[in-house]
Amino acid sequence: MTSVTVNNACLTEFSDFKLKKYRYLFFKISDDRHEIVLDKIGDSSRTYDDFLADLPDNEPRYVVYNFEYDAGYDGTNSKVLFFSWAPDTSKIKDKMIYAGTKDTFKKAFKGLEIESGGTDKSEVAYDVILELVQSRHRRYRKAMK
């Protein structure tokens, strides 16, 4: 774990995010490497393709995403996804700092339901994430029987 803290403004925006005011929030570690700060807001009209386009090619990020999906006979459902994005092309030191700070992020942001990581956009493609979310939904339904 590192000594990086979460900026309070991030928690305020995350509260609004949980009220579905936003589709996604991007967070980064500040240039002085002392805190996690808000990097980008995707309003509720943004799509998954917009999210993928907003992922930086060469820099890690943490992202929370309101993912809506068809849950079959349960209708439309949504989950709060947490992405730890660390592209292969990122600097090694940056990847290490993000990896070491991930638990700090997860502890500060209550309500993250499903976690995924990615080093390449193919690892966070819509179909990949949809399968992850639906498989968790099926396991939940099975456990409830």
Side-chain angles (χ1 to χ4, degrees):
M1 192 140 86
T2 65
S3 62
V4 175
T5 60
V6 177
N7 181 289
N8 285 334
C10 296
L11 300 174
T12 301
E13 294 297 342
F14 184 67
S15 293
D16 288 344
F17 166 83
K18 290 195 296 186
L19 296 172
K20 309 231 184 224
K21 290 184 179 179
Y22 309 123
R23 177 73 59 205
Y24 53 83
L25 301 173
F26 278 67
F27 301 91
K28 68 178 185 174
I29 295 175
S30 61
D31 292 339
D32 66 7
R33 301 180 194 262
H34 287 118
E35 63 182 350
I36 296 169
V37 297
L38 186 65
D39 180 45
K40 185 176 292 194
I41 295 175
D43 68 41
S44 59
S45 69
R46 304 287 287 189
T47 67
Y48 200 81
D49 286 338
D50 294 328
F51 154 71
L52 290 175
D54 283 345
L55 287 171
D57 292 330
N58 301 311
E59 298 175 359
R61 290 292 185 272
Y62 300 124
V63 184
V64 293
Y65 189 97
N66 272 320
F67 189 84
E68 295 180 352
Y69 65 100
D70 181 3
Y73 54 86
D74 287 337
T76 301
N77 204 343
S78 67
K79 294 289 181 193
V80 175
L81 304 183
F82 165 60
F83 292 95
S84 179
W85 175 250
D88 287 331
T89 54
S90 299
K91 295 176 184 173
I92 301 272
K93 185 172 185 175
D94 289 344
K95 289 194 271 190
M96 289 174 56
I97 291 169
Y98 274 79
T101 307
K102 184 167 76 168
D103 284 341
T104 299
F105 185 93
K106 289 169 42 177
K107 287 177 185 172
F109 294 86
K110 306 292 184 205
L112 304 175
E113 297 174 288
I114 297 176
E115 180 178 345
S116 180
T119 60
D120 178 271
K121 289 186 181 180
S122 66
E123 296 173 346
V124 294
Y126 180 82
D127 291 340
V128 172
I129 299 305
L130 179 62
E131 176 55 34
L132 171 66
V133 170
Q134 288 178 330
S135 69
R136 298 273 174 92
H137 183 81
R138 286 189 297 272
R139 279 190 291 202
Y140 172 78
R141 295 279 301 150
K142 188 176 180 179
M144 295 304 293
K145 287 184 180 183

